[in-house]
Amino acid sequence: MDELPYNAQELMVVNAARLLKDHDVVFVGVGIPNLACNLAMRTHAPNLQMIYEAGVIGAQPARLPLSIGDPTLVTGATAVCSMYDIFSLYLQRGNVDVGFLGGAQIDQFGNINATVIGDYDHPKVRLPGSGGSMEIAAWANRCYIITPHQKRRFPARVDFHTSAGFLTGGDARTKTGVRGGGPQAVVTNLGILQPDESGELVLAAIHPGVVFEEVQENTGWTLKQALNCQVTTPPTEMELQILREKLDPNRIYI
Amino acid sequence: MDELPYNAQELMVVNAARLLKDHDVVFVGVGIPNLACNLAMRTHAPNLQMIYEAGVIGAQPARLPLSIGDPTLVTGATAVCSMYDIFSLYLQRGNVDVGFLGGAQIDQFGNINATVIGDYDHPKVRLPGSGGSMEIAAWANRCYIITPHQKRRFPARVDFHTSAGFLTGGDARTKTGVRGGGPQAVVTNLGILQPDESGELVLAAIHPGVVFEEVQENTGWTLKQALNCQVTTPPTEMELQILREKLDPNRIYI
Amino acid sequence: MSKITSLPEAIRQHVYTGDLVYASGFTHLIPFAAGHEIIRQGLKDLTLARATPDLIYDQMVAAGCARKLIFSYIGNPGVGSLHRIRAALESGQLEWEEYSHFGMISRLQAGASGLPFMPMNPSGAADLAERNPCYQQVTDPYSGRAVVVVPPLTPDIAIIHAQRADALGNAQIWGILGEQQLAAFASQRVILTVEEIVDETIIRADPNRTIIPGMVVDAVCHVPFCAHPSYTQGYYDRDNEFYLAWDKLSKTPQGAQEYLDAWVFGLPDRAAYWEKLGSETHRRLEAGEHFSQPVNYGAY
Amino acid sequence: MSKITSLPEAIRQHVYTGDLVYASGFTHLIPFAAGHEIIRQGLKDLTLARATPDLIYDQMVAAGCARKLIFSYIGNPGVGSLHRIRAALESGQLEWEEYSHFGMISRLQAGASGLPFMPMNPSGAADLAERNPCYQQVTDPYSGRAVVVVPPLTPDIAIIHAQRADALGNAQIWGILGEQQLAAFASQRVILTVEEIVDETIIRADPNRTIIPGMVVDAVCHVPFCAHPSYTQGYYDRDNEFYLAWDKLSKTPQGAQEYLDAWVFGLPDRAAYWEKLGSETHRRLEAGEHFSQPVNYGAY
């Protein structure tokens, strides 16, 4: 993609931003998701509301936040509440439209592993663990995942279920009684995966210049292609300009 | 008691105040209990802390509060919290030393009825109900009851258990798993009842000039007298002066 | 998008016959003006839920709005009985469902949190739980003991009075907090009444004071003195004289009806009500000044 | 009676070998100075509980203070791994007990409320609950469904940093509240560190801002800049450069040890630490000004 006038991070941010709707209440992390939300607010979703698991609602950060609890998130926010309240009153009560998730592994049914590679009791690699993602994956109306597209990140089955996608597919997720709709899209540097009616992630859109074989090579299961698989619209000049000049001028995340 | 230099209310307030210890954290209602707490603070218990079920901690009311949610309780208080928090973090967690209780009926084992006279579904008299008293009676370290001594108020058995005293006596209370020690004293205009080792209320102290027969006549069960039954010390001049001049100069409750 | 509307319009749009209504506020911030508007609009068959029904529900019961009461303490606070409610309960004209304060508030906590139930500690006083089938038990898996639980309460509509909010309904409250926040989150719809509508910069200058976020609010109504005869901390005092007067005049249905005719049906809105109270009452209820100090949130 | 004491004295009096310690604060107000003092005093065999262990527990684990970790997210926030904790877990040198954030905080909520357990909603992700026997199930009596519950967490000692408190320990916090209040109420003992000790009139001028009441506090320590490299809203900024630096220097046990030698063992207290950071860092972390406006509580 070296010849393209944007890099992989920019491509992912722009495509993630386009998934957000005006008035969405978004449970947002730092880094790429934060950029996607801020980009959406400055383009098609001016009434987007950002809330953070640290208990901040309606943040209007004056600078690029460098952690989920950056003080710039608080100054000028609409409300601040305790951690218990953000997970109960906001998330579980059904007040969150969108959650962003990440992890070391995302599998064929959108399940996420952010806990361990290998055996739980004797881990090969000990990862950070759930944090808020177990409940965000279950209780936000819809979830998005943004991640580089690499085979080790997309195994057929995760080593550990840190948070639930569609589990084994079919009605497995629904039967558990979780409220949210689960992962609705995985945005990568190659394209966008979305669940089909059985909950299996299939290639729903491919970025300009990418071919299906490249996506398949970087995916750990036999990837299906949606019937109406799209080619994404390249990042516009305006989107790139906002990202580079307003949101992350020091190029920390992009 | 007409010849005495104090009235029945003053007598009860003074005797209730003397039961409080310095540094006690007291869950206090308006009226007589509020006066007792304020009197104790101005005499032997300067570090008493008053908390209110409305969620006010460390109140320093500038005027006599006329309801449990009087704004004068908030201005200048140490802390304010929600109703859920006052009952959970403060009361149930074990941070309350003393609760004051009241009701239409108090029985032989210190059980209280503030709910109905007669049948619950077809009440002869519908009373206010529990409010906070069900949990205060169960979870404060010790409870006190202040009430005029009348036969109808002291039946052998309450019509309805709004809050638990010693239930049927013996280990009945302990077996329910409640945390608090239960009613430790009932202060009336005739004397002070306290539970014996079986939880039965017996006459522990009698006010000056009152005879046992008078107390028995106004009690709905065969009243025992404690072996070491005392005569209470009459209200002192200082106690009466504080009450009349500082705490309730308009004689609303005394 | 502003949610500002008039109180009559908000009641028309968001409160329906048969609704479960939670008009919140523990002695403080009781939204009397909203109760009066519900009476004026002739809403019926309501289930009225409040920890402390207070005079507002006594008046709504007197006006025939209610089919059922959910409560934990039915008293005129600091005064005595709520005569109209008491008469309706004693005569069997009003259904009821009763809790302790903690039971009632635990139901709201479960409703506000989207949890299936809330556990409570043993109280030793079993009579109420035996009469109210909403009290159930589960077995504590850690101790093996029985634990009493209560189910979520999720009212159709909460009515919340606050000192101030912005046009989006981000509301700040100080003084007694009661169950205001839980009622707002637990309910399907929320009408917010406020003493002042302020610019969002005022709210954003002190985000820790925001108790209710606009995202759960459906209508914002500017209703000064909404809480009288209850009070708004820092704005006006509780009108204890009226609490005493209601005790007397509500002893008969006629007395209550005369009050409703004069002070509810006979007036168009809260502004007229406040005007009718007169300047002497206004003066008597003045709050005086006792200010907090600013805190620094920092500019980052 | 004043509870003011020095931090070393407070740690000596209230923290013991083998204790379950909860040094609270979600990214904000992390009491680093207290962690350093625990390291200096050579406490061992501690069970360290925190939703987000952060650098403070990475350092305490590196120093050999910990036998066990209870947590829900072990990351260097916004940066990457906590290398010392990760190495200790991967090598089996450190016991652990793991939750999701909501599971962890629900344990504190149960502990703080004196409740036997807290219910949680289904997450669909069962692996963690299967590995941690503290997760149990009860049957919801209303729906008949299985509900996951967690037991109370009641630490021996909570360490809480706040912007300000009076001498009795009535503490006010603004900005991110995290689990500070729950940790204080859940714990048997509480050490409070503060940027400023203020007269009780300051606290009493704004009682709604008081998060932790003195009645649950055992010691009040005046420790300016206690939270560095974390931050105190309105007092100083997060030192993100240090979070990045720790990522590098803690990659080896030696690197971590060199840091501890220079910045913990080599210094007597937080004042010396702050001094050693130097004026350039001081300037870089200045908070600037963004004040809330006073509110009127009224004089009644």
Side-chain angles (χ1 to χ4, degrees), chain B residues 134-161:
Chain B
M134 186 190 287
E135 277 84 18
I136 295 170
W139 292 85
N141 291 344
R142 43 192 225 276
C143 286
Y144 298 125
I145 299 161
I146 311 175
T147 183
H149 213 131
Q150 300 161 345
K151 194 153 196 165
R152 66 179 174 90
R153 289 179 183 268
F154 285 95
R157 295 283 175 277
V158 287
D159 290 11
F160 191 95
H161 282 78

Side-chain angles (χ1 to χ4, degrees), chain D residues 11 100 124 142 153 165 196 201 236-239 251 263 267 271 276 289 295:
Chain D
I11 300 289
S100 69
Y142 306 102
L153 183 67
E196 294 186 82
T201 55
Y236 45 93
D237 200 354
R238 184 173 187 268
D239 190 350
K251 283 206 165 108
W263 289 87
L267 295 172
K276 185 177 161 94
E289 293 192 344
V295 301

Side-chain angles (χ1 to χ4, degrees), chain C residues 107-124:
Chain C
R107 286 205 62 186
L108 277 183
Q109 173 80 18
S113 303
L115 289 171
F117 57 79
M118 282 295 291
M120 308 206 301
N121 278 304
S123 73

